[in-house]
């Protein structure tokens, strides 16, 4: 019995020593929170690994959503280090919070009409006025929705086309999804949102007459970022050559 007791004591001591000598847990990474328009998702994800490699110990955390949602979150005080908006209006809205540093345009885009791939009847904006056609747009407060309405107005078909709207989505990917799923006959989206994942389900139609409606993307660091140097570095990355390359690969136009 005594021998067994000693063995148990020795085991207890060994466990304590083992616990004391176990490797320390990995240090917590600093998180850089980037609020970005949904249409930027693929391009910004492409930039993530390079930024983290240049800044060891940093984890980029994205919040992708409609720019109007992100702007509202910033105004309400949501934590963020960088904001990338799909238009100037939502950047200005966020700036009303006094949390936004001066913004810069870093990319542009263009509008296209998308239809299910088997539908060849829609050839331009005038066809969006066809009786019974199911048109899906992003909501009017969403940048792509505002751009779409402006383009429809310039094409002279705004009122008739809007009469066919069956759904207003909260971001551009919602529009893409509805058309790709056959729940709508047409939608107006950014050209960059016809990604590889949906290209086999959609037909793209040029938005004739809307060449002067050119979506412009803006980016800015937040004034109350707890890591201003990292926030500034991310803005520089997106605005610089590496950002231009990643954005160009995904179909974005230069600023």
């Amino acid at each position: 019995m005594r021998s067994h007791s000693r063995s148990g004591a020795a085991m207890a001591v060994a466990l304590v020593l083992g616990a004391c000598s176990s490797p320390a847990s990995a240090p917590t990474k600093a998180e850089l929170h980037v609020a970005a328009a949904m249409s930027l998702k693929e391009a910004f994800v492409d930039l993530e690994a390079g930024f983290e490699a240049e800044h060891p110990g940093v984890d980029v955390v994205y919040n992708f959503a409609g720019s109007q949602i992100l702007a509202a979150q910033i105004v309400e005080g949501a934590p963020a280090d960088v904001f990338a908006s799909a238009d100037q209006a939502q950047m200005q809205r966020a700036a009303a919070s006094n949390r936004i540093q001066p913004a810069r345009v870093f990319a542009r885009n263009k509008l296209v009409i998308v239809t299910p791939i088997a539908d060849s009847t829609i050839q331009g904006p005038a066809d969006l006025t066809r009786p019974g056609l199911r048109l899906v747009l992003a909501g009017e407060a969403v940048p792509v929705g505002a751009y779409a309405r402006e383009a429809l107005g310039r094409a002279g078909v705004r009122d008739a086309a809007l009469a066919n709207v069956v759904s207003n989505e909260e971001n551009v990917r919602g529009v893409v999804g509805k058309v790709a799923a056959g729940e709508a006959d047409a939608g107006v989206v950014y050209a960059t949102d016809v990604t590889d994942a949906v290209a086999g389900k959609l037909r793209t139609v040029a938005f004739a007459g809307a060449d002067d409606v050119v979506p412009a993307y803006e980016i800015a660091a937040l004034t109350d970022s707890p890591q201003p140097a990292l926030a500034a570095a991310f803005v520089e990355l997106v605005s610089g050559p590496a950002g231009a390359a990643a954005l160009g690969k995904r179909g974005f136009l230069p600023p």
Side-chain angles (χ1 to χ4, degrees):
M1 291 292 293
R2 182 174 295 179
S3 174
H4 180 72
S5 175
R6 286 176 179 171
S7 176
M11 290 177 63
V13 171
L15 287 172
V16 171
L17 290 174
C20 293
S21 61
S22 61
S25 58
T28 302
K29 286 190 173 184
E31 293 185 344
L32 182 74
H33 291 266
V34 178
M38 182 65 76
S39 52
L40 293 167
K41 184 174 182 178
E42 287 78 15
F44 271 30
V45 168
D46 289 345
L47 291 168
E48 181 176 1
F51 185 84
E52 291 178 349
E54 290 184 4
H55 300 84
V58 175
D59 182 21
V60 178
V61 179
Y62 288 119
N63 176 17
F64 294 109
S67 298
Q68 81 288 354
I69 293 174
L70 300 174
Q73 290 174 351
I74 290 171
V75 169
E76 291 167 4
D81 299 294
V82 177
F83 177 37
S85 173
D87 74 349
Q88 186 181 45
Q90 295 306 323
M91 183 62 76
Q92 290 178 339
R93 180 183 177 195
S97 67
N98 294 319
R99 300 180 63 198
I100 300 294
Q101 293 187 19
R104 66 178 75 174
V105 175
F106 66 93
R108 295 187 184 273
N109 215 325
K110 63 179 179 178
L111 297 175
V112 295
I113 299 167
V114 289
T115 73
I117 196 164
D119 183 354
S120 60
T121 63
I122 296 174
Q123 299 296 325
D127 294 317
L128 301 181
T129 68
R130 193 170 64 209
L133 180 132
R134 298 171 302 166
L135 177 62
V136 174
L137 299 178
E140 192 168 1
V142 185
V144 71
Y147 288 130
R149 286 163 174 80
E150 180 183 355
L152 290 168
R154 291 179 182 272
V157 298
R158 176 184 169 111
D159 292 344
L162 292 183
N164 284 336
V165 172
V166 295
S167 178
N168 287 289
E169 301 298 310
E170 67 177 19
N171 62 61
V172 67
R173 298 300 169 89
V175 179
V176 170
K178 285 284 180 70
V179 180
E183 297 176 23
D185 302 311
V188 179
V189 300
Y190 300 124
T192 56
D193 284 289
V194 185
T195 63
D196 292 342
V198 295
K201 300 177 181 180
L202 297 176
R203 185 174 67 93
T204 302
V205 181
F207 203 130
D211 292 342
D212 51 351
V213 180
V214 184
Y217 289 72
E218 292 195 333
I219 190 168
L222 272 73
T223 58
D224 58 357
S225 167
Q227 40 213 359
L230 283 174
F234 189 86
V235 171
E236 289 298 327
L237 172 69
V238 171
S239 305
L247 290 157
K249 177 183 174 183
R250 295 294 181 174
F252 287 87
L253 304 174

